[in-house]
Amino acid sequence: MDGQSGQSALGAFLQARRSRLRPEDIGLDTYGERRRVPGLRREELALLAGVSASYYARLEQGHSHNASPEVLDAIAQALCLDETERLHLRDLAGAAARRRRPARRPPPERVDAPTRTLLDSMPDVPAVVTGRRADVLAWNPLGHALFAGHLDPSAPERSADRPNMARFLFLDAHARDLYLTWESKARAVVANLRYAVGRHPDDALLASLIGELSMKSAEFAKMWADHRVRPCTIAEHKMQHPLVGPMTVTQQALNLSDDQVLVVATAPAGSEGRTALQLLAQATTAPTTIPATTSPSY
């Protein structure tokens, strides 16, 4: 996806995960041997997985694309992958096994009427609907005010102008000021994009987004090279909002469909975060709401 074929993406993921395993993690005694590179050697990983060293080397180098589900499961176990990573491994192996198709431009993403009704029914909860590439497909007024009040509130209605949460996080200075826990939020977004790439290897717009962020942000490129994969679910974040000050909120990502996610932010009753959200809700109903600008879409 990021300039790689399905096979090389599979190999890069295997190599990245192998390099994270230390011999002592698997009970391997190296007898004080000094290693030039971190992690397990290919032949050590192959031995753990019960496959030949030459076969595993071909798989990691992208010269073999016929790994059986049993072999993939054995390699996943040897690499100590969790369930999400195992699914990602299977996605990458499937992309490698298929005849490579040219990246294609998928149809525009849209929010259906029931989802819009859902957003309208929760005015006191910041809510944003994102698509497979982290594009903002819709948000309610409080969601707009919390995450990107400096952007045009109507931008999600126009596919060409839709903000993108990954671009926003890495390329918009507002995000750096907004998230006091910026690095953890950034890593979560990158890991979620990795998950999307495994599921949609032929998405040309997703490939373009990864390439753009890799070119424009050294931090993104470094995190992307780490090959962490994880769909966004739930996490606590400390924020410093320009209108209402500090708050700690829990952000949850709720699946609406295979590709669309509802992101909400909540805080316990009586907490500083709940008070800040209530103040922000009042600000969104005032005549002088957060001023919108015509700044670039993020």
Side-chain angles (χ1 to χ4, degrees), residues 254-272:
L254 311 172
N255 292 330
L256 298 175
S257 67
D258 285 344
D259 292 330
Q260 292 187 11
V261 171
L262 174 67
V263 180
V264 297
T266 59
S271 67
E272 178 185 57

Side-chain angles (χ1 to χ4, degrees), residues 77-252:
Q77 183 173 352
L79 290 171
C80 302
L81 302 185
D82 63 24
E83 185 57 29
T84 298
E85 292 167 330
R86 285 172 182 259
L87 292 174
H88 185 64
L89 176 62
R90 293 170 196 158
D91 286 338
L92 294 179
R98 293 192 300 268
R99 186 174 183 176
R100 184 61 177 171
R101 297 170 295 183
R104 51 191 171 83
R105 190 180 185 90
E109 294 182 285
R110 294 183 175 85
V111 173
D112 59 25
T115 299
R116 293 189 181 278
T117 301
L118 175 63
L119 287 176
D120 292 340
S121 70
M122 45 196 306
D124 298 326
V125 178
V128 177
V129 177
T130 61
R132 69 162 67 166
R133 306 169 209 96
D135 289 332
V136 175
L137 307 182
W139 49 23
N140 64 9
L142 192 52
H144 165 253
L146 176 62
F147 294 111
H150 63 304
L151 300 182
D152 182 352
S154 66
E157 305 298 324
R158 303 180 298 275
S159 59
D161 298 329
R162 281 174 176 162
N164 178 276
M165 296 308 290
R167 284 196 190 97
F168 167 68
L169 201 64
F170 283 94
L171 304 181
D172 191 328
H174 176 79
R176 304 286 182 141
D177 296 331
L178 181 64
Y179 280 97
L180 301 179
T181 51
W182 182 88
E183 185 171 350
S184 66
K185 177 65 175 179
R187 289 191 181 280
V189 167
V190 173
N192 188 68
L193 283 177
R194 271 281 177 202
Y195 182 72
V197 162
R199 298 178 65 241
H200 305 287
D202 301 317
D203 188 320
L205 294 178
L206 186 53
S208 177
L209 173 65
I210 300 303
E212 176 191 352
L213 292 174
S214 296
M215 290 291 293
K216 293 181 178 180
S217 170
E219 289 166 304
F220 177 87
K222 182 178 180 180
M223 293 181 187
W224 186 253
D226 193 45
H227 285 264
R228 293 182 184 273
V229 53
R230 180 87 50 195
C232 289
T233 52
I234 182 170
E236 185 177 272
H237 290 289
K238 297 182 184 300
M239 306 176 78
Q240 179 69 35
H241 196 274
L243 284 186
V244 296
M247 68 176 82
T248 298
V249 299
T250 297
Q251 294 182 18
Q252 298 180 69

Side-chain angles (χ1 to χ4, degrees), residues 13-22 37-43 45 56 60 79:
F13 178 70
L14 290 173
Q15 193 280 329
R17 281 295 167 266
R18 178 170 59 82
S19 69
R20 294 174 63 87
L21 277 180
R22 299 172 300 174
V37 294
L40 296 182
R41 293 170 177 152
R42 283 176 179 163
E43 56 269 24
L45 195 284
Y56 179 78
E60 195 170 286
L79 290 171

